[in-house]
Amino acid sequence: FFFQAEDGIRDVLGSRGLADVYKRQIREGATIYFPVAAEGALLSMGDLHALMGDGEVFGYGLEVSGEVTVRVTAVKGMKLEQPLLIEGGDAMTVASGETMQEATEKALESMYHLLRQCGQDEGEAGILMSMVCNIALCQMVNPLFTVRAEMPARMLEKVIKG
């Protein structure tokens, strides 16, 4: 996924785009929320994979042609630091960084801030994440590492439903 703004196209290396970091999670019925920081931003997508493991270890996936149908809606007032995917009862934030540690911290921090927006205090949000939040490596073949944080979507209902 790429975002285009007046100053040019930025992908996952230069912005908060997704690239192919949610390989198996983006499917029919999934909802993805993107932070949009530029008026008039555009969205494009491509590079469909029939199969690709988490980690994208050697940089290969089974690429296929196909058609994608999407519905795009601007959600005013939603505060996101990173993209948020809702799929199959799970909520996932994703982030990239120069190290796996940096990417992990960003993904977890984004999830933490979403919980805080739902009314959890600092301690509650931390305890809840310790109990039910999982992390997974998305890719490690680009110059940046990408990690996602996952937890039950019901924990973020206040943010998701507005």
Side-chain angles (χ1 to χ4, degrees):
F1 291 88
F2 297 89
F3 302 97
Q4 183 172 342
E6 291 176 10
D7 61 343
I9 295 174
R10 290 182 230 145
D11 65 9
V12 74
L13 301 179
S15 72
R16 290 173 276 190
L18 284 176
D20 46 23
V21 297
Y22 285 126
K23 293 159 202 57
R24 293 169 296 164
Q25 292 79 12
I26 296 179
R27 58 180 136 235
E28 186 175 347
T31 301
I32 308 170
Y33 298 94
F34 298 98
V36 179
E39 184 71 32
L42 303 174
L43 172 71
S44 67
M45 58 196 76
D47 194 24
L48 301 176
H49 297 125
L51 188 63
M52 180 181 278
D54 283 339
E56 194 178 342
V57 219
F58 284 97
Y60 298 101
L62 180 57
E63 301 207 8
V64 295
S65 62
E67 293 183 18
V68 177
T69 302
V70 298
R71 181 178 54 215
V72 178
T73 305
V75 180
K76 302 281 185 192
M78 188 175 222
K79 297 175 185 163
L80 293 177
E81 298 172 6
Q82 305 293 338
L84 171 65
L85 173 70
I86 308 299
E87 197 284 317
D90 292 323
M92 296 163 250
T93 56
V94 65
S96 295
E98 290 184 15
T99 66
M100 202 176 315
Q101 180 72 25
E102 180 186 0
T104 301
E105 288 173 3
K106 285 181 180 179
L108 290 172
E109 199 171 277
S110 182
M111 188 66 78
Y112 174 81
H113 288 136
L114 289 170
L115 286 170
R116 296 282 286 133
Q117 288 178 49
C118 289
Q120 302 288 332
D121 69 28
E122 291 177 13
E124 292 170 335
I127 291 168
L128 187 58
M129 288 181 69
S130 291
M131 302 284 181
V132 298
C133 187
N134 296 306
I135 56 171
L137 177 63
C138 297
Q139 68 83 24
M140 54 185 253
V141 296
N142 292 324
L144 300 177
F145 290 89
T146 306
V147 171
R148 74 177 173 272
E150 305 176 11
M151 61 188 310
R154 69 181 185 277
M155 307 288 179
L156 301 176
E157 279 183 359
K158 240 182 179 176
V159 170
I160 296 166
K161 299 199 185 221

